[in-house]
Each structure stands twice: as structure tokens, then as C-alpha cells.
Amino acid sequence: MTGSDGSRHWAPGEHILWRYRGNGTGAVHICRPVTVVQDTPELLAVWMAPGTECVRPVLADGTPVHEEPLATRYTAPRTTERARWAGSGVLKLARPGDPWSVWLFWERGWRFRSWYVNLEEPRVRWSGGFDSEDHFLDISVYPDRSWLWRDEDEFAQAQRCGLMGPEQAARVRDAGRRAVDRIKAWGAPFADGWEDWRPDPAWRVPELPADWDRTPVHTAP
């Protein structure tokens, strides 16, 4: 399916890759195969099923990144590993051009837990999926409409390490404030009923391709 701008839009049920490039390196260090739920000029929605094989960053000795002390978390040597997504699946929603995506999490038995606003570079579309860059700072949003900032310590440490300059950090903070404004107004996607969505039981879990880190030819966002 092709959009009015000439870019290709994927049909529900197609498999694509949702990837993040390392801050300052440009190399893909997070790759998650997902199933397209909706891909229109207004909204991208994808489903990451439980047990999906993904790529994630780890320290050079295999230690999970979050176990490294904050002071050296972004300077210790890293590599990547393939691992299965544990726990419940994740529904990811993103509007073209927004500097964040919104993730929905459920407990077992489809009891809705929370939304998670992941501040990030607006996604760039390519032939096999989307690429972005994480901006460290995040927001949790709960069904009672309360919210709180997440990972402010990592956001500050990334600036101390030179992974994010003052101008970019200011843009990220501004994006966060705009996301909070949307939360307070209870705008899209929080009021859109996505917490009641369920995946098609006929969908199979996407596979992680051998060339998950390939350099793409980018198309329109």
C-alpha cells in the first residue's frame, strides 16, 4: 500500500523491524521484530508478541546494561546479544513526526497496567521497518490519569557523558513537556481505547532476520 507522499504503508499482519541506533554511534543496537496493526499517515501501531527474539545492548562481558553503575553505564564497552522478550507483549503507537512513541503494557490475563511514553527521535521509515534513536527520558502514565517522569538520572548522565548536548537536551525536555500537555488533556492515544485492543490469534511471532543490522535505503517518514 502506497501513501499520498509515495511512501509505502504496511498492511495489518505484515512483519517489520522497529530499531534504535546507538546515541553517537549510528549503529543499530536494539532491534525488535513486530507485527503491523495499523500503518496510516496518521498513526503507526505495531505489536511485539511475547517470546519475540530481539537484539539488545549488553556490556562486553554479557552483563545487562541496567546492572552497570550509572557513572559508567554509558562508557563501559558494549556489545549486542539476541534474547527473547520476556513477559507480556507490547503495543507500540507512534504518530509521524512526534518525538516519542507510546507503549501499552498489560499484566497476565490482559489486565491493563500502564502507558509508557518513550521520548525518541522521530522514526525514519525504510524498506524493512523504522529506525529511531532513544532520548533516555520517559514518562509512565496510569489508568487513573496520573503520570511520572522516568529515567531522569539516565537523561542527566547521558549529558554528562557527552551523548547529548545542551541544545538536544533542551529539545528533548520540550518534547517531554508537550507529551505531558497531551497527557493532561487526555488526548490521543490515551483516550482512544487501545487498552481494549487484542492481537489476532492467527498471527505468528515474527522472526529476527540474520541481517537485522543492515544499512537501509530510507524512504519518506
Side-chain angles (χ1 to χ4, degrees), residues 45-120:
V46 301
W47 169 245
M48 185 170 66
T52 300
E53 185 179 24
C54 304
V55 172
R56 65 184 182 186
V58 293
L59 300 186
D61 63 0
T63 301
V65 170
H66 70 270
E67 293 183 10
E68 178 71 9
L70 184 63
T72 52
R73 189 169 299 171
Y74 301 120
T75 56
R78 292 190 182 191
T79 186
T80 57
E81 71 172 12
R82 300 166 75 112
R84 298 282 176 182
W85 183 266
S88 301
V90 182
L91 178 66
K92 297 186 178 189
L93 308 174
R95 298 199 315 178
D98 274 355
W100 63 75
S101 56
V102 179
W103 306 356
L104 282 76
F105 290 91
W106 289 265
E107 305 288 358
R108 291 182 180 275
W110 287 102
R111 184 172 68 85
F112 182 66
R113 187 176 78 198
S114 61
W115 296 267
Y116 188 83
V117 180
N118 195 73
L119 295 171
E120 60 191 37

Side-chain angles (χ1 to χ4, degrees), residues 18 20 23 93 98-103 116-123 132-140 147-152 155 164 168-181 183 190:
W18 186 297
Y20 289 96
N23 304 81
L93 308 174
D98 274 355
W100 63 75
S101 56
V102 179
W103 306 356
Y116 188 83
V117 180
N118 195 73
L119 295 171
E120 60 191 37
E121 198 68 23
R123 292 137 306 282
S132 183
E133 183 179 287
D134 185 75
H135 285 164
F136 302 99
L137 190 63
D138 307 297
I139 308 168
S140 283
W147 61 273
L148 55 86
W149 293 105
R150 292 285 188 186
D151 304 324
E152 290 186 284
F155 181 62
M164 182 175 290
Q168 185 183 18
R171 290 196 299 271
V172 173
R173 270 292 184 191
D174 179 67
R177 286 190 287 268
R178 285 186 282 126
V180 168
D181 288 342
I183 294 165
F190 308 103

Side-chain angles (χ1 to χ4, degrees), residues 13 15 35 198-205:
H15 294 167
T35 301
R198 299 293 183 267
D200 187 331
W203 284 348
R204 61 179 179 83
V205 177

Side-chain angles (χ1 to χ4, degrees), residues 10 21 34 37 57 67 77 114 142 150 170 193 207 209-211 214:
W10 288 280
R21 296 186 175 276
V34 295
V37 175
E67 293 183 10
S114 61
Y142 300 98
R150 292 285 188 186
E207 296 181 0
D211 60 347
R214 64 190 181 275

